[in-house]
Amino acid sequence: MKKVLVGAIIALASVLIYKSCTDDREQKSILEENSMLIQQELRNVSKLVVTEGHFAEVYNYKDSKELFGPLVTAHKKALVVVNADVSIAYDMSKINYEVDEEQKLLTITRIPEPEIKISPDFEYYDVTADYLNPFNAGDYNTIKRNVNASLMEKIEASSLRSNAENRLISELSHILVLTHTMGWTLVYNNTPVENTEQLKTFLD
């Protein structure tokens, strides 16, 4: 009878040990599958998110040069019409992240800065210059530099940047939904992300 009881205990212990090992393997397999799924989703959104806009600018350029003191002044001027295509892009492949399978954490450590590209088309009207103060390469470079600075101010004052951020948040929301669905936690700036509104605050 004792032999039967001992045998039953050994058999039961073997079954429990086997089940425990099997459960551990299955749990590890699930964690690895979830980790791979999350990283696949990150690869899926690792693309260039681009928002485009168009701006027009009319710029008056004037320059005066004193010759022989204030007695003689040479003038030059130009009316410049600028049409510019502008794009704001986030290169999602530059997102840095860490995956912690044991804690079920996806930590985003870096979101790329927006890349602003301005493609202006310059048309020059009413270009006049005195003989002693002609237009040169420096004038055209000054015009381009000043126009780009003016366009950048217009971009910052427009809705283009916020539209670009909304598109970025839309891409990040896919990751947020996936992690929550699988019981993982998305972390950014050492803070667990609970909803889309939190994502917006991180870009402010």
Side-chain angles (χ1 to χ4, degrees):
M1 184 68 179
K2 288 183 180 180
K3 290 182 179 180
V4 173
L5 184 58
V6 171
I9 292 172
I10 292 173
L12 180 60
S14 299
V15 170
L16 291 174
I17 292 170
Y18 174 79
K19 189 175 186 305
S20 175
C21 292
T22 303
D23 289 344
D24 287 343
R25 282 196 299 270
E26 289 178 354
Q27 181 66 21
K28 185 177 181 181
S29 176
I30 291 171
L31 287 173
E32 288 177 349
E33 288 176 6
N34 288 346
S35 174
M36 291 175 62
L37 188 60
I38 288 172
Q39 293 182 67
Q40 181 60 47
E41 179 65 19
L42 283 163
R43 283 192 290 270
N44 288 341
V45 300
S46 292
K47 60 186 179 183
L48 202 62
V49 180
V50 182
T51 302
E52 297 177 327
H54 183 84
F55 293 86
E57 176 88 3
V58 178
Y59 178 70
N60 281 295
Y61 177 73
K62 294 181 180 180
D63 179 77
S64 299
K65 179 186 293 185
E66 291 185 350
L67 305 171
F68 313 111
L71 298 176
V72 179
T73 304
H75 303 281
K76 56 185 168 185
K77 65 177 183 176
L79 177 67
V80 186
V81 177
V82 183
N83 287 287
D85 291 320
V86 177
S87 66
I88 299 181
Y90 287 93
D91 189 349
M92 303 294 283
S93 66
K94 294 180 180 178
I95 285 182
N96 293 343
Y97 63 91
E98 298 172 355
V99 177
D100 186 337
E101 294 180 358
E102 289 188 4
Q103 300 295 323
K104 295 185 178 180
L105 296 176
L106 171 62
T107 302
I108 294 179
T109 57
R110 177 181 176 270
I111 294 176
E113 292 294 321
E115 301 170 4
I116 301 176
K117 181 180 179 183
I118 302 175
S119 302
D121 178 33
F122 293 84
E123 294 185 21
Y124 292 85
Y125 299 91
D126 191 25
V127 178
T128 58
D130 291 340
Y131 177 76
L132 296 176
N133 189 16
F135 263 85
N136 54 44
D139 294 302
Y140 292 106
N141 289 335
T142 298
I143 290 171
K144 289 180 180 179
R145 185 169 57 251
N146 291 345
V147 166
N148 280 337
S150 178
L151 287 171
M152 186 62 71
E153 290 180 1
K154 285 189 172 183
I155 292 168
E156 294 296 336
S158 73
S159 61
L160 193 62
R161 181 183 283 273
S162 62
N163 290 342
E165 289 180 353
N166 287 338
R167 290 199 59 188
L168 172 64
I169 290 168
S170 177
E171 295 295 332
L172 294 175
S173 294
H174 297 319
I175 302 169
L176 176 62
V177 170
L178 180 62
T179 52
H180 280 194
T181 300
M182 296 189 307
W184 283 52
T185 301
L186 178 63
V187 177
Y188 183 69
N189 276 349
N190 297 317
T191 305
V193 182
E194 300 295 336
N195 50 56
T196 303
E197 291 302 314
Q198 266 186 287
L199 289 174
K200 293 180 180 179
T201 63
F202 294 145
L203 300 178
D204 292 339

